Coordinates of all heavy atoms in Angstrom, one line a residue:
D248 N -7.9 17.3 -31.0 CA -9.0 16.6 -31.8 C -9.8 17.5 -32.6 O -10.1 17.4 -33.7 CB -9.8 15.7 -30.9 CG -9.0 14.5 -30.3 OD1 -8.2 13.9 -31.0 OD2 -9.2 14.2 -29.1
T249 N -10.3 18.5 -31.9 CA -11.3 19.5 -32.5 C -10.6 20.8 -33.0 O -11.3 21.5 -33.7 CB -12.4 19.9 -31.4 OG1 -11.7 20.7 -30.4 CG2 -13.0 18.7 -30.8
L250 N -9.3 21.0 -32.7 CA -8.6 22.2 -33.0 C -9.3 23.4 -32.5 O -9.0 24.6 -33.0 CB -8.5 22.3 -34.6 CG -7.7 21.2 -35.2 CD1 -7.6 21.4 -36.7 CD2 -6.4 20.9 -34.6
E251 N -10.1 23.3 -31.5 CA -10.7 24.4 -30.8 C -9.7 25.0 -29.7 O -9.0 24.3 -29.1 CB -12.0 23.9 -30.1 CG -12.7 25.0 -29.3 CD -13.9 24.5 -28.5 OE1 -14.2 23.3 -28.6 OE2 -14.5 25.2 -27.8
V252 N -9.8 26.3 -29.6 CA -9.0 27.0 -28.6 C -9.6 26.8 -27.3 O -10.8 27.3 -27.0 CB -8.8 28.5 -28.9 CG1 -8.0 29.2 -27.8 CG2 -8.1 28.7 -30.2
T253 N -9.0 26.1 -26.3 CA -9.6 25.8 -25.0 C -9.1 26.8 -24.0 O -9.9 27.1 -23.0 CB -9.3 24.4 -24.6 OG1 -7.9 24.2 -24.4 CG2 -9.8 23.3 -25.6
H254 N -7.9 27.3 -24.1 CA -7.4 28.3 -23.1 C -6.5 29.3 -23.9 O -5.8 28.9 -24.9 CB -6.5 27.6 -22.1 CG -7.2 26.5 -21.3 ND1 -7.5 25.2 -21.8 CD2 -7.7 26.6 -20.0 CE1 -8.1 24.6 -20.9 NE2 -8.2 25.3 -19.7
E255 N -6.5 30.5 -23.4 CA -5.6 31.5 -24.0 C -5.2 32.6 -23.0 O -6.0 33.0 -22.2 CB -6.4 32.2 -25.2 CG -5.6 33.4 -25.9 CD -6.4 34.1 -26.9 OE1 -6.7 33.4 -27.9 OE2 -6.8 35.2 -26.7
V256 N -4.0 32.9 -23.0 CA -3.4 34.0 -22.2 C -2.6 34.9 -23.2 O -1.9 34.4 -24.1 CB -2.6 33.6 -21.1 CG1 -3.4 32.8 -20.0 CG2 -1.4 32.6 -21.5
R257 N -2.7 36.2 -22.9 CA -1.9 37.2 -23.7 C -1.4 38.3 -22.8 O -2.0 38.6 -21.8 CB -2.8 37.7 -24.8 CG -4.1 38.4 -24.5 CD -4.7 39.0 -25.8 NE -5.2 38.0 -26.7 CZ -5.2 38.1 -28.0 NH1 -4.9 39.3 -28.5 NH2 -5.7 37.1 -28.7
W258 N -0.3 38.9 -23.3 CA 0.3 40.0 -22.5 C 0.7 41.1 -23.5 O 1.4 40.8 -24.6 CB 1.5 39.5 -21.8 CG 2.1 40.5 -20.8 CD1 1.6 41.0 -19.7 CD2 3.3 41.2 -21.0 NE1 2.4 41.9 -19.1 CE2 3.5 42.0 -19.9 CE3 4.3 41.1 -22.0 CZ2 4.6 42.8 -19.7 CZ3 5.5 42.0 -21.9 CH2 5.6 42.8 -20.7
E259 N 0.3 42.3 -23.3 CA 0.7 43.4 -24.1 C 1.9 44.1 -23.5 O 1.9 44.7 -22.5 CB -0.5 44.4 -24.3 CG -1.7 43.8 -25.0 CD -2.8 44.8 -25.2 OE1 -2.6 46.0 -24.8 OE2 -3.9 44.4 -25.7
G260 N 3.0 44.1 -24.3 CA 4.2 44.7 -23.8 C 5.4 44.0 -24.5 O 5.2 43.2 -25.4
V261 N 6.6 44.4 -24.2 CA 7.8 43.9 -24.8 C 8.7 43.2 -23.8 O 9.0 43.8 -22.7 CB 8.6 45.1 -25.5 CG1 9.8 44.5 -26.1 CG2 7.8 45.8 -26.4
I262 N 9.1 42.0 -24.1 CA 10.1 41.2 -23.3 C 11.4 41.5 -23.9 O 11.8 41.0 -24.9 CB 9.8 39.7 -23.3 CG1 8.3 39.5 -22.8 CG2 10.8 39.0 -22.4 CD1 7.9 38.0 -22.9
E263 N 12.2 42.5 -23.3 CA 13.4 42.9 -23.8 C 14.5 41.9 -23.5 O 14.2 40.9 -22.8 CB 13.8 44.3 -23.2 CG 12.8 45.4 -23.5 CD 12.9 46.0 -24.9 OE1 13.8 45.4 -25.7 OE2 12.1 46.9 -25.2
Q264 N 15.7 42.1 -24.0 CA 16.9 41.2 -23.7 C 17.1 41.1 -22.3 O 17.1 42.1 -21.6 CB 18.1 41.7 -24.5 CG 18.0 41.5 -26.0 CD 19.3 41.8 -26.7 OE1 20.4 42.0 -26.0 NE2 19.3 41.8 -28.0
D265 N 17.2 39.9 -21.8 CA 17.4 39.6 -20.4 C 16.2 39.7 -19.5 O 16.3 39.6 -18.3 CB 18.6 40.4 -19.7 CG 20.0 40.0 -20.3 OD1 20.1 38.8 -20.8 OD2 20.9 40.8 -20.3
D266 N 15.1 40.0 -20.1 CA 13.8 40.0 -19.4 C 13.1 38.7 -19.3 O 13.4 37.8 -20.1 CB 12.8 41.0 -20.0 CG 13.2 42.5 -19.8 OD1 14.3 42.7 -19.2 OD2 12.5 43.4 -20.3
R267 N 12.2 38.5 -18.4 CA 11.4 37.3 -18.3 C 10.0 37.7 -18.0 O 9.7 38.6 -17.2 CB 11.9 36.3 -17.2 CG 13.4 36.0 -17.3 CD 13.8 35.1 -16.2 NE 15.2 34.8 -16.1 CZ 15.8 33.9 -15.5 NH1 15.1 33.0 -14.8 NH2 17.1 33.8 -15.6
L268 N 9.0 36.9 -18.6 CA 7.6 37.1 -18.2 C 7.2 35.8 -17.7 O 7.3 34.7 -18.4 CB 6.8 37.4 -19.5 CG 5.3 37.6 -19.2 CD1 5.0 38.9 -18.3 CD2 4.5 37.7 -20.5
V269 N 6.6 35.8 -16.5 CA 6.3 34.5 -15.7 C 4.8 34.6 -15.6 O 4.2 35.5 -14.9 CB 7.0 34.3 -14.4 CG1 6.5 33.1 -13.7 CG2 8.5 34.4 -14.6
I270 N 4.1 33.6 -16.2 CA 2.6 33.5 -16.1 C 2.3 32.2 -15.3 O 2.5 31.1 -15.7 CB 1.9 33.4 -17.4 CG1 2.3 34.6 -18.3 CG2 0.5 33.2 -17.3 CD1 1.8 34.5 -19.7
D271 N 1.9 32.4 -14.0 CA 1.7 31.3 -13.1 C 0.2 31.0 -13.1 O -0.6 31.7 -12.3 CB 2.2 31.7 -11.7 CG 2.1 30.5 -10.7 OD1 1.4 29.6 -11.0 OD2 2.8 30.6 -9.7
A272 N -0.3 30.1 -13.8 CA -1.7 29.8 -14.0 C -2.3 29.2 -12.7 O -3.4 29.4 -12.4 CB -1.9 28.8 -15.1
K273 N -1.5 28.5 -11.9 CA -2.0 27.8 -10.7 C -2.3 28.9 -9.6 O -3.3 28.8 -8.9 CB -1.0 26.8 -10.2 CG -1.4 26.2 -8.9 CD -0.6 25.0 -8.5 CE -1.1 24.3 -7.3 NZ -2.4 23.8 -7.5
N274 N -1.4 29.9 -9.5 CA -1.5 30.9 -8.4 C -2.1 32.2 -8.9 O -2.1 33.2 -8.3 CB -0.2 31.2 -7.7 CG 0.3 30.0 -7.0 OD1 -0.4 29.4 -6.1 ND2 1.5 29.5 -7.3
Y275 N -2.5 32.2 -10.2 CA -3.1 33.4 -10.9 C -2.2 34.6 -10.7 O -2.7 35.7 -10.2 CB -4.5 33.7 -10.3 CG -5.5 32.5 -10.6 CD1 -5.7 31.5 -9.7 CD2 -6.1 32.5 -11.9 CE1 -6.6 30.5 -10.0 CE2 -7.0 31.4 -12.2 CZ -7.2 30.4 -11.2 OH -8.0 29.4 -11.5
A276 N -1.0 34.5 -11.0 CA 0.1 35.6 -10.9 C 0.8 35.8 -12.1 O 1.1 34.8 -12.9 CB 1.0 35.2 -9.7
V277 N 1.0 37.1 -12.5 CA 1.8 37.4 -13.6 C 3.0 38.4 -13.1 O 2.7 39.4 -12.5 CB 1.0 38.1 -14.7 CG1 1.8 38.4 -15.9 CG2 -0.2 37.4 -15.0
T278 N 4.2 38.0 -13.5 CA 5.4 38.8 -13.1 C 6.3 39.1 -14.3 O 6.6 38.2 -15.0 CB 6.2 38.0 -12.0 OG1 5.4 37.7 -10.9 CG2 7.4 38.9 -11.5
H279 N 6.5 40.4 -14.4 CA 7.5 40.9 -15.5 C 8.8 41.1 -14.8 O 8.9 42.1 -14.0 CB 7.0 42.1 -16.1 CG 7.9 42.6 -17.3 ND1 7.9 43.9 -17.6 CD2 8.8 42.0 -18.0 CE1 8.8 44.1 -18.6 NE2 9.3 42.9 -18.8
E280 N 9.8 40.2 -15.0 CA 11.1 40.3 -14.4 C 12.0 41.1 -15.4 O 12.5 40.7 -16.3 CB 11.7 38.9 -14.2 CG 10.8 38.1 -13.2 CD 11.4 36.7 -13.0 OE1 12.5 36.4 -13.7 OE2 10.8 35.9 -12.3
D281 N 12.0 42.5 -15.1 CA 12.7 43.4 -16.0 C 14.2 43.4 -15.6 O 14.5 43.7 -14.3 CB 12.0 44.8 -15.9 CG 12.6 45.8 -16.9 OD1 13.8 46.1 -16.8 OD2 11.8 46.3 -17.8
A282 N 15.1 43.3 -16.5 CA 16.5 43.3 -16.1 C 17.0 44.5 -15.6 O 17.9 44.5 -14.8 CB 17.3 42.8 -17.4
S283 N 16.4 45.7 -15.9 CA 16.9 46.9 -15.5 C 16.0 47.5 -14.4 O 16.6 48.1 -13.4 CB 16.9 47.9 -16.7 OG 15.6 48.1 -17.2
A284 N 14.8 47.3 -14.4 CA 13.9 47.9 -13.4 C 13.5 46.9 -12.3 O 12.9 47.4 -11.3 CB 12.6 48.4 -14.0
G285 N 13.9 45.7 -12.4 CA 13.5 44.7 -11.3 C 12.2 44.0 -11.6 O 11.5 44.3 -12.6
N286 N 11.7 43.2 -10.7 CA 10.5 42.5 -10.8 C 9.3 43.5 -10.6 O 9.3 44.3 -9.7 CB 10.4 41.3 -9.8 CG 11.4 40.2 -10.2 OD1 12.1 40.4 -11.1 ND2 11.5 39.2 -9.3
M287 N 8.3 43.3 -11.4 CA 7.1 44.1 -11.3 C 5.9 43.3 -11.7 O 6.0 42.3 -12.4 CB 7.2 45.4 -12.1 CG 7.3 45.1 -13.6 SD 7.6 46.7 -14.6 CE 9.3 46.9 -14.1
S288 N 4.7 43.7 -11.3 CA 3.5 43.0 -11.7 C 3.2 43.1 -13.2 O 3.5 44.2 -13.8 CB 2.2 43.6 -10.9 OG 1.0 43.0 -11.4
G289 N 2.8 42.0 -13.8 CA 2.5 42.1 -15.2 C 1.0 42.1 -15.5 O 0.6 42.0 -16.6
Y290 N 0.2 42.4 -14.5 CA -1.3 42.3 -14.7 C -1.7 43.4 -15.6 O -2.7 43.3 -16.3 CB -2.0 42.5 -13.3 CG -2.1 41.2 -12.5 CD1 -1.4 41.1 -11.3 CD2 -2.8 40.1 -12.9 CE1 -1.4 40.0 -10.5 CE2 -2.8 39.0 -12.2 CZ -2.2 38.9 -11.0 OH -2.2 37.7 -10.2
A291 N -1.0 44.5 -15.7 CA -1.5 45.7 -16.5 C -1.7 45.3 -17.9 O -2.7 45.8 -18.5 CB -0.5 46.8 -16.3
G292 N -0.9 44.5 -18.5 CA -1.0 44.2 -19.9 C -1.5 42.8 -20.1 O -1.5 42.3 -21.2
F293 N -2.1 42.1 -19.1 CA -2.5 40.7 -19.2 C -3.9 40.6 -19.4 O -4.7 41.3 -18.8 CB -2.0 40.0 -17.9 CG -2.4 38.6 -17.9 CD1 -1.6 37.6 -18.5 CD2 -3.5 38.1 -17.2 CE1 -1.9 36.3 -18.5 CE2 -3.8 36.7 -17.2 CZ -3.0 35.8 -17.9
S294 N -4.3 39.6 -20.1 CA -5.7 39.2 -20.3 C -5.8 37.7 -20.6 O -4.9 37.0 -21.0 CB -6.4 39.9 -21.5 OG -5.7 39.6 -22.7
T295 N -7.0 37.1 -20.2 CA -7.2 35.7 -20.4 C -8.5 35.4 -21.0 O -9.4 36.3 -20.8 CB -7.0 34.9 -19.1 OG1 -7.2 33.5 -19.3 CG2 -8.0 35.4 -18.0

Side-chain angles (χ1 to χ4, degrees):
D248 295 319
T249 66
L250 301 183
E251 177 186 357
V252 177
T253 62
H254 301 75
E255 177 183 295
V256 292
R257 59 175 65 209
W258 188 73
E259 295 182 3
V261 182
I262 304 173
E263 302 282 1
Q264 291 188 9
D265 291 335
D266 287 1
R267 307 180 188 197
L268 181 68
V269 181
I270 302 173
D271 186 342
K273 181 171 180 56
N274 295 304
Y275 297 97
V277 184
T278 305
H279 181 204
E280 300 177 0
D281 190 294
S283 57
N286 293 357
M287 63 187 75
S288 172
Y290 281 114
F293 180 78
S294 61
T295 181

